[in-house]
Amino acid sequence: MDRLAVHDDFDRVAAAFRVLLDGATDDELRRRSSGTRWSNRQLLFHMLLVFLIMRALLALARIVAWLPDWFGRGWAKLLNAATKPFDAVNFVGSWVGGGVMPRKAMVVLCDHTVAAMHRRLDHESESGLAKGMPYPTRWDPFFREFMTVADLYRLPVQHFDFHRDQLSLS
């Protein structure tokens, strides 16, 4: 894993997030995004949400890595079976969060979360980065059947870049 490249990507995303929120008018943020049922503001919150849940995903990967392989595979199957409820919670959470969180709070939360991700990555050992677990591939197009902790560090940037193209901002 090229840690410097991941750090650079985190900084690029944080800067882009700030520019997108600071540069958009209220009308642009209320406008429907392209290819989603969210407004631009709600989609921006959704893009931030993946960074926010990374702590849980990283902790979960470490825990499941210690358990027998059959447990991780079963867990991924169970989560795949729960895709519809996950999708509903994901949609509503981003809809509500993007609707109520002030844009300045979103920027501050992004900056703090990215700073925490930097610190956490700096403290990862090579063996820790190699640990991983099976993931529910139906939940997100970037989830693979097995993902390492190193893969998880790349996930929020991939997710951000994908959704950035769906924003309908000037």
Side-chain angles (χ1 to χ4, degrees), residues 58-93:
L58 291 166
L60 184 62
R62 286 184 185 86
I63 292 167
V64 174
W66 286 100
L67 298 171
D69 289 342
W70 60 264
F71 181 87
R73 288 190 306 273
W75 178 251
K77 284 180 184 177
L78 178 66
L79 294 179
N80 266 330
T83 297
K84 287 190 188 239
F86 167 79
D87 287 344
V89 169
N90 185 28
F91 176 78
V92 171

Side-chain angles (χ1 to χ4, degrees), residues 1-2 12 29 31 37 41 44 47 51 63 65 68 82-83 100 104 106 118-119 122 129 148 153 155 160 163 170:
M1 173 182 192
D2 183 350
R12 175 182 58 81
L29 290 175
R31 185 183 311 145
R37 295 183 298 163
R41 184 186 188 111
L44 282 161
M47 294 158 68
F51 280 89
I63 292 167
T83 297
V100 300
K104 289 201 183 301
M106 288 172 63
H118 278 301
R119 288 189 303 274
D122 285 341
L129 289 169
T148 65
Y153 276 105
L155 179 70
F160 181 92
H163 284 302
S170 301

